[in-house]
Amino acid sequence: MNKLIPVFAMAMTLMVYGCSEEKNGAEEVSQPEQQAQDKSTVAATDSSQPDADRNAEESQAVVLLSGLPTLDTKDSIAIVELDPESEDFGNIIYEYPLPKYDAPLHHLYYSPNGRLYATGLGTECSLAEIGLVRNAQAEPQITGVNCLDTQGQQVGEDIMWHSVNGKNYMFVTFMGGTGVSQEDAGSIGVFDPQSNEIIKIIEARKSQLDEGEPYLLYPHGISAYGDRMVVTSTVHPDLSTGVGNAVTIIDLNTLEPIENIVIEDSKPVGFPSSPVEVLFVRPSIVPDAEPAVLVNTMFGFETWKIPYNEADKTFGKPEKLYDGATAGTGVPLEFYGNETEMFISHAVPGVVKRYDLQKLPDLVSSGADIETEPGAHHIIFYKSASGRELIAVQNNLLNLGNAEDNDPTDVDFIAKVNAHSVTVHDLKSGEKLATVNFKDKYQKGIDNIESLFGSGFVHHH
């Protein structure tokens, strides 16, 4: 597929088998807005809800399904039952066929007021609002997909809602920036969250800057606290032109980059570290927490901490907290959490690690790993009909497969990062209770999973 893949695949194979807040400048978002901030999600269900009053939709998920051309299937949005105690487990309750775009929709997000958005990996529909409503029988249904005007920005990734000096904004990272043909692509779209109209494009291309000036490059993960926003530099959308190794600091008073911080140590697969998702730990997540930034590096296999001095708004020297190359894991992706724990998904070999939320920003284990399937990625939390606390993990990374499998339905990449499944586990024990394989059952890949109507969320980061 591209020049990164052969070396990366070999190295990956060896690794796997060998081993109340103050407001200053920009205002911190209100609690409802905090519940809809980053894609690297901190999310959970309210365990205090009596079982007798349980919402039957609590165990239903909205999923983005990608058609596999060799199986003659098409992209769609579906609502799926994920309670393993239900006779409908794994069944699609409702499905809405998507128009044919040049690349699939990728991530789902609920805004603070409950509107549903999706980013897209192509150029034809890089950002969309999805009409998710109830019909006359109170059943959920999709009324349409409205691709939004991004003013040329392409390959959308993460969305965050935040308040800047009393004004609300929707921020969206675009890995392809104002054109995927640019070697130094990347931008952040600043949108009006009510009208969806674009207010500003934040762009700082290295080729147009003097040496040492702060830049944006292949932005993906995004998080904010007060008047500072952090954005990761991941990889060019073509997976070939370039790989990033830094995070960019944005001053939310000016909406401009002010600093780059390199996040890199060893290179276990020979490429730059590719920071992917980022979490700004802050008191709204953990009361009295020392603010700091956590960063997962996709090709570095690591999790890092960047200290933050709130008094003078400076960031300290990055500190590596977790080394997957020595621990036997690779491709760390998302941050998620409930009221007591934070979870990090690792696509290789397919595992979710769990940490004590109250100990953040340090990573202190809170229990045994949850063993999923290759490609562990997005997560939701909910209860079964009997009240059992569950965690469901989507095990699929962009339908990227192992070239050695010679599977024509996959895009050849690395060893096993696309099981095409959702595994459901007991939250406390990690025991795997059930699996639905979307490729086997529906001949489709699964790109994203979110709780229906956002019912699974207590707070986002």
Side-chain angles (χ1 to χ4, degrees), residues 80-93:
V80 179
E81 176 59 62
L82 290 179
D83 185 352
E85 299 172 5
S86 170
E87 62 181 12
D88 288 328
F89 174 76
N91 289 345
I92 291 178
I93 299 169

Side-chain angles (χ1 to χ4, degrees), residues 138-219:
E139 299 165 334
Q141 66 177 28
I142 304 294
T143 59
V145 177
N146 178 27
C147 296
L148 304 180
D149 180 9
T150 66
Q151 292 189 8
Q153 297 176 101
Q154 303 171 347
V155 191
E157 270 291 346
D158 288 4
I159 303 178
M160 181 188 72
W161 285 263
H162 196 72
S163 180
V164 181
N165 295 318
K167 184 174 177 58
N168 295 324
Y169 295 97
M170 178 174 73
F171 297 95
V172 184
T173 55
F174 293 91
M175 292 179 69
T178 53
V180 293
S181 62
Q182 301 165 354
E183 293 187 0
D184 54 355
S187 64
I188 300 170
V190 186
F191 293 82
D192 183 309
Q194 297 302 317
S195 68
N196 292 331
E197 294 180 357
I198 194 159
I199 297 170
K200 179 176 182 176
I201 295 175
I202 304 175
E203 191 174 34
R205 295 174 54 195
K206 293 184 76 173
S207 63
Q208 300 176 348
L209 298 170
D210 293 334
E211 184 71 26
E213 287 191 86
Y215 60 86
L216 275 175
L217 186 68
Y218 324 135

Side-chain angles (χ1 to χ4, degrees), residues 320-338:
K320 183 166 62 176
L321 300 182
Y322 176 83
D323 188 338
T326 59
T329 65
V331 195
L333 295 172
E334 307 284 343
F335 295 100
Y336 283 84
N338 59 21

Side-chain angles (χ1 to χ4, degrees), residues 1 49 140 160 162 305 339:
M1 177 181 173
Q49 184 180 19
M160 181 188 72
H162 196 72
K305 177 178 75 172
E339 294 168 320

Side-chain angles (χ1 to χ4, degrees), residues 65-66 75 101-106 119-122 125 399 447:
L65 298 177
S66 58
D75 297 355
Y101 304 124
D102 60 345
L105 298 182
H106 184 45
T119 54
L121 292 177
C125 191
N399 298 324
D447 288 295

Side-chain angles (χ1 to χ4, degrees), residues 3 110 341 350 367:
K3 60 193 177 186
Y110 289 100
E341 295 178 284

Side-chain angles (χ1 to χ4, degrees), residues 412-423:
D412 290 343
F413 191 55
I414 63 176
K416 297 296 183 184
V417 289
N418 64 342
H420 302 288
S421 70
V422 170
T423 53

Side-chain angles (χ1 to χ4, degrees), residues 281 286 289-294 304-307 321 342 357-364:
V281 177
V286 184
E290 172 189 341
V293 177
L294 297 178
W304 291 72
K305 177 178 75 172
I306 309 174
L321 300 182
M342 184 189 75
L357 190 74
Q358 298 303 315
K359 297 297 194 305
L360 295 183
D362 295 320
L363 298 183
V364 178

